[in-house]
Amino acid sequence: MALKTGPVPNEPGPSDIRGRVAELHSIREQALAGPSREATEAQHARGKLTPRERIELLLDPDSFHEVEPLRRHRATGFGMEMKKPYTDGVVTGWGTVEGRTVFVYAHDFRIFGGALGEAHATKIHKIMDMALSAGAPLVSLNDGAGARIQEGVSALAGYGGIFQRNTKASGVIPQISVMLGPCAGGAAYSPALTDFVFMVRDTSQMFITGPDVVKAVTGEEITQNGLGGADVHAETSGVAHFAYDDEETCLAEVRFLLTLLPQNNREAAPRARSGDPVERRSETLLDLVPADGNRPYDMVKVIEEIVDDGEYMEIHERWARNIICALGRLDGQVVGIVANQPQSLAGVLDIEASEKAARFVQWCDSFNIPIVTLLDVPGFLPGVDQEHGGIIRHGAKLLYAYCNATVPRVSLILRKAYGGAYIVMDSQSIGADLTYAWPTNEIAVMGAEGAANVIFRRQIAEAEDPETMRQKLVKEYKAELMHPYYAAERGLVDDVIDPTRTREVLIRSLAMLRSKHADLPSRKHGNPPQ
């Protein structure tokens, strides 16, 4: 398949302006059409769209302004001088989503397999710099095969420039990576530096070294999807935040996410008009959460009852399911929600849950999004694997993220809040602005059964009926130290509230905190646990 090279630059062109304009249109048509009809058909046969088709789905109609569509590489050798297609395999520019500016670049797999060369990288560098200067989100539509081997170290340097800009923009503008094809090596590192990663099943993969290299080095045989497909990264590695069945759905969800994000770290997230009354009470909440702390329930249903119109977007839904991270609205204001999920591992904190929540809290704080924390946590997950895996330092990541956050923070204890996990999940002692509890709350160092076994070990052992004595002492411990008002009496909870009024209480509290201002000590940056 031959790539179109366009007119030879040194050939004399038309002498009059109309002829020059006609020549311009001809060149633009070549750039817009891509390398060939056959290449486009092959892309569609793979179940993938072309870069311009993807951009049309992402942005508002007729809003895309392309930058450097006529750029071509300058490489020579290996026949490269005979293949100089316009765009050099990446389409860059800006447009709007719901009327708000968004910058975008999209790899063109039809040209050099979307591989990155010097000119290709320079175009991406330019659009990234423009996004940072304009203070607007950047979306990358990734469908590239890594560095362009024919250009050697120049291609690697191009990736370095992208990584440096990803890091510079981190916490300044939202960065979203959409994986729409195979992305290996350097092509996988840039998405890992961004805020959110979207993937499409069967057609997108991410890995540092492909199946062939894995087999040569380790002898393991595995497919591309088995090694780095969407489901692997959404469920096992946690690299992907979202996974969808097709590109159209994926890009529609990217648009929805963008409507929840601020343009940059100097602005608030866009507020929406809400027809959901602030004072709306939810009697359903009384039935959703069992008073018995050992019975599971679905925290997602609690969130649906609280947020505007039951609408929210869960982040990392299929990874570390024992904790929920989501974006939703309360009275039109975007909030980040962190909640234990009693339906999975009883809602304990483990290594993956700690990492997931820590990064989400840190991201919300970067972009001025208030954080609501819903607690029902029995503690950290015990076990040799957890201890040897570094649960101490991983749990400390979540502790650090909350302690470092200066956005409005409201926490609500629904049921259990035991031990160090209670402290870590945004307790008042680490800086929560307001802490509420339902009358079903139990805040303690540990559960009553375990506490009684420790405190009254000798009395239980010496009793004529140890089990009866144990049950009696458990009941006494609960009555003395774990009744619903114990923490409120000591000022560790600001109020014990009627569950049906949860939505109203949260909204009123966040409205009061809207003008909150907090300064951190002067420093270059902190040194969070790794």
Side-chain angles (χ1 to χ4, degrees), residues 57 164 179 340 479:
L57 288 174
Q164 190 268 343
M179 316 309 293
N340 306 111

Side-chain angles (χ1 to χ4, degrees), residues 449 452-453 456-475:
E449 301 261 344
N453 288 338
F456 307 115
R457 181 186 294 111
R458 180 175 295 177
Q459 291 164 263
I460 292 172
E462 294 174 351
E464 290 185 9
D465 186 345
E467 183 57 27
T468 301
M469 176 61 74
R470 191 176 68 83
Q471 292 299 331
K472 175 177 176 290
L473 294 172
V474 165
K475 188 175 180 180

Side-chain angles (χ1 to χ4, degrees), residues 74-96:
R74 299 175 293 181
T76 58
F78 308 102
M80 291 292 289
E81 62 273 13
M82 302 301 295
K83 301 176 182 178
K84 302 181 69 174
Y86 291 113
T87 74
D88 198 44
V90 64
V91 178
T92 61
W94 78 89
T96 60

Side-chain angles (χ1 to χ4, degrees), residues 230-298:
D231 288 326
V232 168
H233 287 311
E235 295 179 12
T236 305
S237 72
V239 170
H241 300 79
F242 307 95
Y244 299 100
D245 290 331
D246 56 76
E247 293 190 14
E248 291 82 0
T249 303
C250 180
L251 292 168
E253 291 299 304
V254 175
R255 281 182 60 90
F256 178 63
L257 176 60
L258 285 165
T259 66
L260 297 170
L261 306 184
Q263 290 293 89
N264 54 63
N265 66 346
R266 300 182 303 278
E267 298 183 10
R271 191 171 186 128
R273 289 185 179 179
S274 174
D276 198 343
V278 172
E279 300 84 2
R280 172 174 61 79
R281 292 189 173 225
S282 177
E283 299 291 331
T284 305
L285 289 174
L286 298 176
D287 301 315
L288 278 177
V289 181
D292 181 356
N294 294 319
R295 289 179 57 194
Y297 62 93
D298 190 355

Side-chain angles (χ1 to χ4, degrees), residues 165-234:
R165 287 168 172 81
N166 284 137
T167 304
K168 185 178 179 182
S170 180
V172 181
I173 58 172
Q175 299 180 83
I176 299 173
S177 298
V178 189
M179 316 309 293
L180 300 167
C183 297
Y189 273 123
S190 174
L193 291 169
T194 60
D195 299 308
F196 300 103
V197 176
F198 288 73
M199 294 188 74
V200 176
R201 293 186 181 90
D202 298 327
T203 57
S204 67
Q205 299 89 30
M206 294 174 69
F207 36 71
I208 300 303
T209 54
D212 292 341
V213 176
V214 170
K215 182 179 179 181
V217 175
T218 70
E220 298 171 286
E221 292 193 22
I222 193 166
T223 64
Q224 285 196 344
N225 278 323
L227 182 63
D231 288 326
V232 168
H233 287 311

